[in-house]
């Protein structure tokens, strides 16, 4: 069900979102994995949460 909810995200954002919130990777770890700064990971996760919240308002920040 969660993957269906995340289906509106771009594939890379979906992967990061899953790893961050369900596998407990840190932004720094994800940054290393994806070759981007940790701040960019945090920004992308904020945007992903906002996108999901638009379609599923019951999702909390």
């Amino acid at each position: 069900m969660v993957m269906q909810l995340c289906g509106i995200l771009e594939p890379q954002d979906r992967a990061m979102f899953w790893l961050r919130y369900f596998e407990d990777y840190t932004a720094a770890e994800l940054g290393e994995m994806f070759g981007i700064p940790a701040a960019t990971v945090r920004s992308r996760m904020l945007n992903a949460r906002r996108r999901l919240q638009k379609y599923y308002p019951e999702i909390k920040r």
Side-chain angles (χ1 to χ4, degrees):
M1 181 175 151
V2 173
M3 287 309 285
Q4 284 181 323
L5 295 174
C6 292
I8 62 171
L9 301 175
E10 295 294 323
Q12 190 175 36
D13 288 347
R14 184 180 320 131
M16 272 195 251
F17 190 87
W18 183 266
L19 291 169
R20 176 69 184 99
Y21 295 108
F22 296 99
E23 301 292 331
D24 293 324
Y25 281 85
T26 66
E29 292 169 328
L30 290 172
E32 282 185 36
M33 273 188 232
F34 289 91
I36 58 177
T40 301
V41 172
R42 289 189 294 274
S43 176
R44 288 173 82 168
M45 293 301 91
L46 175 63
N47 290 333
R49 287 192 312 270
R50 285 180 177 164
R51 258 182 269 140
L52 290 172
Q53 206 169 29
K54 189 185 312 182
Y55 294 98
Y56 305 100
E58 61 275 2
I59 295 173
K60 304 279 186 219
R61 288 184 189 200

